[in-house]
Amino acid sequence: MPQSAVQSPSANNTGIGTETPSSATSTPPESQFTSSVSPSKPSQKSRQQQRKRTQGLDYGSLEALFTQEQTKPSTDTSSAPPSSPWYILTTANLLAFHKEKLIGELWTYLATSLHQNRHLPKVDEANDDDVMEEEKRLLLLTARRIREACLKASTLVGFPRAINALFSLTSAIERTHPSLSAILSSDTSLRAHVGPSEKYTRGMSFFSQIYKQHTARVLAAMDATSGGDLTHFAINCIYGELLSETSLLDGLETGLLEFVCCLADGCGPQAKG
């Protein structure tokens, strides 16, 4: 065959199926690769900044919010921090939203704020025994109220969360006030002395205060759905033994704590009692 009769694919433009991957696929300009990758860098940086902003809570703003909402501010400034409900409800919210490890931060904020707001001297600078004793009393009361809030929230948000919260609180107190930690660890139970009949009486009374005119209907529903066991457990244990103890958190604070836990946990119908 004459050499002139043999034509290369490039000569007659019929090189179908002979393209290499590099020739068949058009390569986008380098600028396209650059523009498609570069937006991820500021996005990642933005996420990191967002995480940093959400690592801690602004406890000062929370305290100020509750202070603004108080219709009858207390004139007794010496006991204002321990008696204020804001950190009790904050404790309930932290447990409900599975942030119980922040309870230690809450304690640190309260202890620091108490010292600064009362203008109490530091231990190594103190000369007035009465001032030191007052600071100690207020700190112990605050710690016990947080501890009580964790206990009362346990039946509403989960026992494991309460354990984590109490551990976080204890660890923080050991770091900031070791002497107080020793005192708190020697506290005895507020409920061990309560007998069965008193538990039932206290439980039914407090349950009726919470549910008011709905008491009979709620009790009947609990009986019908549990064979009576839920009613027995709720009245004798949850309300009679745990919630009706009001030496540290009074009835109003306990009721608000219940409401906050139920609402934050998505159980709105249970919060309307």
Side-chain angles (χ1 to χ4, degrees):
M1 181 180 293
Q3 185 176 0
S4 61
V6 180
Q7 297 181 350
S8 66
S10 60
N12 59 12
N13 296 324
T14 59
I16 300 175
T18 63
E19 299 92 347
T20 63
S22 59
S23 63
T25 306
S26 61
T27 303
E30 184 179 353
S31 60
Q32 291 186 17
F33 285 108
T34 304
S35 61
S36 64
V37 174
S38 58
S40 65
K41 293 182 179 179
S43 177
Q44 182 179 4
K45 183 178 180 181
S46 176
R47 288 195 297 270
Q48 291 174 347
Q49 291 175 343
Q50 180 66 22
R51 282 196 295 269
K52 289 180 180 179
R53 286 195 296 267
T54 57
Q55 280 178 350
L57 289 178
D58 187 353
Y59 297 105
S61 295
L62 286 171
E63 182 178 15
L65 177 64
F66 276 86
T67 302
Q68 292 172 3
E69 293 297 324
Q70 280 184 330
T71 56
K72 295 181 180 180
S74 174
T75 57
D76 182 9
T77 57
S78 65
S79 60
S83 64
S84 173
W86 82 267
Y87 66 90
I88 300 302
L89 302 185
T90 298
T91 297
N93 267 306
L94 289 176
L95 268 68
F97 286 110
H98 208 344
K99 299 296 182 181
E100 59 270 16
K101 292 184 179 180
L102 295 180
I103 295 297
E105 288 186 7
L106 176 61
W107 159 259
T108 302
Y109 169 82
L110 289 167
T112 303
S113 177
L114 177 65
H115 182 86
Q116 293 175 346
N117 291 344
R118 299 294 173 272
H119 305 289
L120 296 172
K122 295 180 180 179
V123 174
D124 57 351
E125 300 173 352
N127 296 316
D128 190 340
D129 291 341
D130 292 337
V131 173
M132 292 180 61
E133 283 300 315
E134 178 64 6
E135 180 181 17
K136 177 180 175 181
R137 182 188 72 82
L138 294 176
L139 287 170
L140 284 171
L141 179 58
T142 301
R144 286 168 176 148
R145 279 168 55 80
I146 296 176
R147 186 170 65 185
E148 183 73 358
C150 293
L151 289 171
K152 288 191 171 183
S154 64
T155 60
L156 298 163
V157 301
F159 194 62
R161 293 186 186 183
I163 294 175
N164 292 340
L166 291 170
F167 182 79
S168 177
L169 174 64
T170 302
S171 299
I173 296 174
E174 287 176 349
R175 289 193 303 269
T176 61
H177 299 79
S179 60
L180 297 185
S181 178
I183 296 173
L184 291 167
S185 64
S186 64
D187 283 353
T188 57
S189 172
L190 297 174
R191 300 167 172 86
H193 67 281
V194 182
S197 60
E198 186 179 357
K199 288 179 185 178
Y200 178 82
T201 302
R202 285 181 11 171
M204 184 60 72
S205 175
F206 194 68
F207 190 91
S208 300
Q209 291 178 38
I210 296 293
Y211 285 94
K212 301 290 185 182
Q213 69 272 19
H214 306 294
T215 299
R217 177 177 58 81
V218 174
L219 289 174
M222 291 197 301
D223 276 339
T225 56
S226 68
D229 283 339
L230 182 58
T231 305
H232 174 83
F233 178 67
I235 298 301
N236 290 278
C237 300
I238 297 178
Y239 284 86
E241 189 167 15
L242 182 64
L243 298 179
S244 64
E245 166 53 52
T246 56
S247 61
L248 288 171
L249 301 184
D250 62 26
L252 176 60
E253 290 171 324
T254 301
L256 288 173
L257 180 144
E258 282 191 274
F259 178 85
V260 166
C261 286
C262 290
L263 194 63
D265 211 27
C267 299
Q270 304 303 321
K272 65 182 181 181

